[in-house]
Amino acid sequence: GLLRISNIMINNTMKIALLLSIIITALTLATTNAIRLHYNSSSTIHTLTNSSYPSHNIFISGGSTLQLLNGAAITAPSSVDDGESAVRIDDATFIAVNGSIVGGADFGGIGVTISSSRDDTAEASFGSGMAVYGGDAARNKTTQGGDAVQVIHAGSKATFDGGTIVAGKGCSQEVCGVSYNGNAIKVIMGEVIVKGGMFDGDFYNLQGSILIYGCVEVRDGRIEGVLSDGSVIDVAYVGEEEQLEIVYDESVCPAAAPTIDDPTSGIESVRSFTLVLLVSIAVSLAMAVCCL
């Protein structure tokens, strides 16, 4: 009798555990409500346009090309394992012309990740009509804000011709203690080219290269100046300066302010003129005396 009761209790416990597992899974799915779109056909140029894609993760791979046009908006789910990116490019091409991308909120999700395998390449370009945001942090998930754009492998490249690139904000609640914002651009390996755009957040460079076009200088750990598209840049640079290259573009340098003449210069001019006049008079008098 006791054995039978024990078996019944074990079976009931297992059933309750299974039921709880099902409920937790259902709640997780209901919370994330993630929709994953995969583009992996290299034979077609895919396009996202004139639409909103809430709670989406976009994956571009296998040599495929995806264009983002006409205000298409991609927002990652607010809760995804390991902070998955809103858009991830693996050995593929992403052409972001006009639209917006937002990393997952609350957990500091990443906006765009560019990744490539050993013998392949991945590229992403961002036009003036683009806005990319890292996800903000919340205390019950993380205190670290998400990166807007990250480049993580040697064959990966991101080019910024314009747009607005904003790092995710760290947890701002007092109970979070120390928290950190994400990066506007994060380079583990690979290459980043910046010709234009508005950047809010640090440029972090571990082992990659960053090439910046404009009337720009690096001073006291900051990149300051005017980019080739006329946008002002003033961001912190975290990395070795040897891995940062400036392609100087004098055409976008601010016009030099007119200088005020030295007030003593006029006095010197008067003195010089007076001296010349006196010498001339003396010579004339000497010639007149000789002729008498």
Side-chain angles (χ1 to χ4, degrees), residues 121-196:
T121 60
E123 294 189 23
S125 61
F126 301 88
S128 59
M130 279 303 304
V132 183
Y133 302 88
D136 294 336
R139 71 180 181 88
N140 60 331
K141 301 290 177 64
T142 182
T143 59
Q144 172 76 49
D147 302 323
V149 178
Q150 68 170 356
V151 180
I152 59 178
H153 291 129
S156 306
K157 181 169 74 172
T159 301
F160 298 87
D161 295 307
T164 301
I165 313 298
V166 181
K169 301 300 184 288
C171 177
S172 59
Q173 300 177 38
E174 186 175 351
V175 295
C176 292
V178 179
S179 63
Y180 301 94
N181 295 335
N183 300 288
I185 297 176
K186 183 177 183 178
V187 187
I188 304 302
M189 296 180 71
E191 180 184 8
V192 166
I193 298 173
V194 178
K195 297 181 179 180

Side-chain angles (χ1 to χ4, degrees), residues 183-213:
N183 300 288
I185 297 176
K186 183 177 183 178
V187 187
I188 304 302
M189 296 180 71
E191 180 184 8
V192 166
I193 298 173
V194 178
K195 297 181 179 180
M198 302 291 291
F199 297 90
D200 182 359
D202 297 352
F203 281 22
Y204 176 88
N205 186 9
L206 183 61
Q207 294 181 336
S209 65
I210 298 179
L211 185 64
I212 301 179
Y213 288 76

Side-chain angles (χ1 to χ4, degrees), residues 57 61 65 248 251 277 287:
N57 298 114
S61 60
T65 298
Y248 189 69
S251 66
L277 181 61
M287 292 178 64

Side-chain angles (χ1 to χ4, degrees), residues 230-242:
S231 300
V232 174
I233 185 170
D234 183 1
V235 300
Y237 175 69
V238 182
E240 298 293 332
E241 286 195 18
E242 293 77 9

Side-chain angles (χ1 to χ4, degrees), residues 255-261:
T259 58
I260 300 175
D261 291 337

